[in-house]
Each structure stands twice: as structure tokens, then as C-alpha cells.
Amino acid sequence: MRHLESYRLADLPDRAYYIPDFLTEEEEKSLIQKIQSVPSARWTVLSHRRLQAWPTQLLHGSILPTADAIPNWLADSIVPRTIDLGIWNASPHACANHCLINEYEPGQGIMPHEDGDVYYPMVATVSLSAGIVLDIYGKSEDGPRKVTYRIYQEPRSLLVTTDELYTKFLHGIQEIFLDEHLNSNTVSNWDLLSNEAKENIERNGGVVERRMKRISLTFRDVKKVRNLAKILQTNRRL
Ligand SMILES: O=C(O)CCC(=O)C(=O)O
Ligand SMILES: [Fe+2]
């Protein structure tokens, strides 16, 4: 893989990186198969998507140290490569310790939001199965929020967002069936897209239909790892 800086999205506020074909098709297939074979109780079903949290959901914004690490089937093809890119060099655990798996049916999405300060401000998102547009919004106090930037996430790609882009902007996925008006002027990572994606989008007049479910894996470093020994001690004293 080339140096991280060669994947920088220069049009976006500091900083974001986009790497197409971060995973091979075999790695993608294997991940999808594993994700789908996890017991259904492992999914949290929301009205507009469903999700799995690994190793566990957060408790009061922290990870329990008794929780295992992110399981190998989920981490192995991704986490070491993100470490090699150097993105966790300054994070508290020098590594991702948490992964959220979001699954969106066609027409589903996620409201504009911030990921907040429970996490070190760095997100590594791998997309599986289908492409989708992530919208970036400025924080505006008055009036409706406006889409400021658009990032097209191909399947098997890695998107890294950090710094001001993490702390000063919101992100979301619209609940629509067609991502439209996609071209070199509207898509911030157009130049870094695979040729195949660019050709397909151009052939379809800048439109991508969401036909299949799209899965995202968002890897982060949760700042606080709760000291379970201390909690047990405190409880015993109560
Ligand atoms: O699915 C995505 O790419 C975004 C997910 C997201 O924003 C989140 O899990 O906080
Ligand atoms: Fe998010």
C-alpha cells in the first residue's frame, strides 16, 4: 500500500483519507459471511438500520477490560493494515479497540450526527457489499443543515476521518434509494475512486441505485477502558 498521504482528500477540511480496494473480494466475502452468521440476538435492530458492537456495546462510554479484543475474524484483515498506515500512532491504545457494524437496507441511512468524545477522534470505516454516499454537514445553529461535502464509499474501501473533520462537522447517510448528481465536482473523493466506480457512475449519468444492503465497519479507539477490579471493589464496599 502507498503512503497514507497519497490518499488524502485535499478538498475536505483536515483530515480525511480514502483508499479504494482496501480489501480483496475474498476478504470482503468472508467478512460478509461471518457477519451474517452471527446469532441474530447479536444484532441491535433500529428503525432505520441494524448494528452489532464488538467486543461489546459501550457501558457509560467505556469498554470493559474483561471484554475480549475485537474478534480475529473481524480484525485480522483490517486492523493490522490500519496500524501500518500509522493512523493510531497518537491514540490512547495505539490501536482500534472497538468496532460497530452497521447494516443498511436500500433506502435506510443514519441521521447527521457526531461520534463524540468517547472515542479518540479517528474513525476507520470499511464498506462492504454496496456503495453509498456519506454526507458531511457543517454545524449550523440557525436554519436547516446543509450538505457541505459528499464522499462516495465503494465496497471494499477504507475511509479515514480525523481532526477537525471529526470534531467540527457532522456526518450522515440520507434515507434514499438513489444517490444522484455524482461527478468530479460534487464528490470529494472522485479522483481517488477506482476507475470501475467512476466509469459505472458516469455511464449511469451520475446516479447510483441502492439495490443491495450495504454494511459498514467503523473501527475506533474508545478512550476509557473501565477498570473492572475497581468497580467490583466499590460495589463490595457499598
Ligand atoms: O455507515 C457509515 O459509514 C457511518 C456509520 C456511522 O456514522 C457511525 O457508526 O457512527
Ligand atoms: Fe458516525
Side-chain angles (χ1 to χ4, degrees):
M1 208 175 298
R2 290 178 285 150
H3 189 267
L4 185 62
E5 282 311 310
S6 60
Y7 300 104
R8 177 91 174 251
L9 302 183
D11 293 348
L12 285 177
D14 287 353
R15 291 177 288 141
Y17 303 91
Y18 178 82
I19 305 183
D21 293 314
F22 183 73
L23 295 182
T24 65
E25 289 187 13
E26 291 76 53
E27 288 165 336
E28 179 192 32
K29 221 165 108 188
S30 155
L31 278 163
I32 294 172
Q33 192 260 321
K34 296 262 176 38
I35 291 166
Q36 302 301 351
S37 60
V38 160
S40 59
R42 204 71 179 64
W43 287 101
T44 302
V45 181
L46 306 176
S47 53
H48 297 280
R49 67 193 154 101
R50 61 175 190 162
L51 62 92
Q52 292 176 21
W54 293 97
T56 58
Q57 299 211 359
L58 300 185
L59 184 68
H60 305 301
S62 68
I63 277 193
L64 293 175
T66 48
D68 294 328
I70 300 170
N72 291 348
W73 64 262
L74 181 55
D76 281 358
S77 58
I78 299 168
V79 175
R81 275 176 225 170
T82 65
I83 292 173
D84 288 348
L85 287 169
I87 64 172
W88 309 109
N89 287 357
S91 88
H93 306 97
C95 186
N97 61 11
H98 196 255
C99 178
L100 269 186
I101 303 178
N102 282 301
E103 186 192 78
Y104 307 85
E105 296 290 344
Q108 294 189 322
I110 186 167
M111 299 276 285
H113 67 281
E114 293 174 79
D115 289 350
D117 67 0
V118 163
Y119 309 103
Y120 174 76
M122 171 74 67
V123 190
T125 305
V126 170
S127 294
L128 305 176
S129 169
I132 214 162
V133 170
L134 182 80
D135 291 314
I136 308 290
Y137 301 78
K139 287 188 198 175
S140 94
E141 307 288 291
D142 42 321
R145 281 196 202 104
K146 266 196 14 218
V147 173
T148 316
Y149 304 98
R150 306 175 79 195
I151 300 171
Y152 182 67
Q153 295 174 274
E154 294 169 74
R156 298 185 298 287
S157 69
L158 175 76
L159 174 68
V160 174
T161 53
T162 186
D163 290 349
E164 293 207 342
L165 190 59
Y166 183 105
T167 52
K168 302 218 165 115
F169 291 81
L170 309 174
H171 56 278
I173 293 170
Q174 293 182 48
E175 295 178 344
I176 51 182
F177 288 88
L178 297 177
D179 284 308
E180 293 182 285
H181 311 296
L182 308 183
N183 58 54
S184 58
N185 294 322
T186 59
V187 175
S188 296
N189 58 329
W190 184 265
D191 291 342
L192 285 162
L193 290 177
S194 69
N195 288 332
E196 190 193 344
K198 282 188 275 204
E199 283 161 19
N200 278 337
I201 295 172
E202 277 170 347
R203 201 174 318 119
N204 289 321
V207 178
V208 176
E209 187 181 350
R210 298 193 196 163
R211 283 199 207 94
M212 296 194 304
K213 58 174 100 178
R214 178 255 182 182
I215 297 170
S216 68
L217 316 177
T218 44
F219 291 86
R220 304 186 185 85
D221 187 357
V222 177
K223 290 185 200 163
K224 268 203 295 189
V225 173
R226 198 173 281 269
N227 186 330
L228 192 65
K230 267 207 185 124
I231 295 172
L232 290 175
Q233 248 173 22
T234 317
N235 286 349
R236 231 173 274 136
R237 260 188 258 120
L238 294 176

